[in-house]
Amino acid sequence: MTPHSLTRPVALITGASAGLGLALAHGLADRGWALIIDARSADALKDAADALADRTDVVPLAGDVTDAEHRADLVEAVGELGRLDLLVNNASYLGPSPLQRLAAADLDELRRVYEVDVIAPIALTQALIPELTAAAGTVVNISSDAAVEAYEGWGGYGSAKAALDHASRVLAAEHLDIVVYAVDPGDLRTAMHQAAFPGEDISDRPEPASVVPAFLQLLDARPASGRYRAAEFAPAVAS
C-alpha cells in the first residue's frame, strides 16, 4: 500500500465482484477511497480488482463471508490499512432457484440463507466495531423490499433481510458513535435477481450503477441510523 492510503477513507465491501457490490466499489474508487473487496470467486474478484486498480488502492480477498478464517483475513487487511470508514455488507444468498414456498423450503438451504444474509454480516460487524468506532464510521447493510413485503416464494430471503434490518437497528442503538443503515436498493438487473425469476426477461430493471449516486448521497448526507430506500436519495434530475 502507498503511504497516502492510510489518510484516505477506507471501505470494505463484501460480494464486490459483480452487481451492486462492484458498482459501489467503482463509485467509491472514483472518489479516491481505498478498498478492501471480497467475493467467493477468486477469478471474478481479480478481474474486479484489476478494473479498480488504476484509480485507487484495492485489496482483493477471495473467500466466503460465512467462514470465520476469511473474516479474520478481512479484519487483518483493515488493520494493515490502519482504518475503516465504511463497511458494506452486500454479500447475500437468495436460496434455491426457482424460489421455494416456505412450507416446503429445504431447511439446509434456509440455514445457508440465514448464515450468509444475517449471521455473517453481524459477525463481520462485530469484528470491526473498534475500527468503525475509531473512525466514526458507517455500516451499510443491503436490504430488500422483500424484508417488509410478503411475496410468495421469498420467505427465506425476505425473512433473513428482515432480521438483518432489525439487527441494524439494534446495532445503531448500541453503538452511538457510528451510523448503521439498512438500505433497499430497489430491483436491479443482477445475477441474483435473474435467479429469482428464471427464464424471465429482467432487462427492464435498471443496472446496479444507476443507484450508486443515491448511495453516495446517503453517505454525504449522513442521516440518522435507520432503514432507507435508495430511491429516497436519488439525485434530483434537472428539468
Side-chain angles (χ1 to χ4, degrees):
M1 288 298 117
T2 55
H4 69 274
S5 68
L6 300 180
T7 60
R8 63 208 291 204
V10 175
L12 166 54
I13 306 173
T14 66
S17 65
L20 178 60
L22 181 57
L24 290 173
H26 277 281
L28 292 170
D30 288 341
R31 288 189 164 199
W33 285 58
L35 300 171
I36 302 165
I37 58 175
D38 106 315
R40 285 179 299 161
S41 169
D43 290 342
L45 190 64
K46 182 182 183 302
D47 290 343
D50 289 346
L52 292 160
D54 64 337
R55 278 166 290 157
T56 191
D57 297 308
V58 55
V59 180
L61 290 170
D64 189 323
V65 289
T66 66
D67 179 4
E69 291 186 6
H70 175 59
R71 293 196 301 269
D73 289 341
L74 294 172
V75 174
E76 183 179 353
V78 169
E80 290 176 357
L81 288 183
R83 64 186 291 173
L84 182 66
D85 301 85
L86 172 63
L87 169 61
V88 181
N89 286 308
N90 169 69
S92 298
Y93 179 56
L94 177 67
S97 176
L99 296 176
Q100 299 178 329
R101 294 171 64 91
L102 196 55
D106 182 299
L107 294 182
D108 288 335
E109 287 284 354
L110 190 59
R111 290 186 185 93
R112 174 68 179 168
V113 169
Y114 270 74
E115 284 288 341
V116 176
D117 297 0
V118 185
I119 303 301
I122 292 174
L124 189 56
T125 305
Q126 283 181 336
L128 291 168
I129 281 291
E131 290 80 5
L132 288 162
T133 301
T138 302
V139 178
V140 173
N141 291 322
I142 302 302
S143 186
S144 167
D145 65 329
V148 294
E149 300 291 343
Y151 298 127
E152 183 177 344
W154 290 80
Y157 182 82
S159 62
K161 288 298 184 179
L164 183 61
D165 282 2
H166 195 71
S168 301
R169 294 177 61 194
V170 173
L171 282 165
E174 293 174 342
H175 299 278
L176 301 181
D177 292 332
I178 65 174
V179 289
V180 184
Y181 302 130
V183 183
D184 171 12
D187 289 350
L188 299 173
R189 199 183 315 169
T190 64
M192 177 180 289
H193 200 74
Q194 182 65 77
F197 300 97
E200 294 186 29
D201 181 6
I202 64 165
S203 61
D204 60 322
R205 275 70 161 186
E207 293 283 359
S210 67
V211 298
V212 169
F215 276 85
L216 296 178
Q217 189 160 315
L218 170 68
L219 296 176
D220 290 343
R222 197 177 168 88
S225 295
R227 187 183 195 279
Y228 296 97
R229 294 180 301 112
E232 297 174 63
F233 292 89
V237 178
S239 57

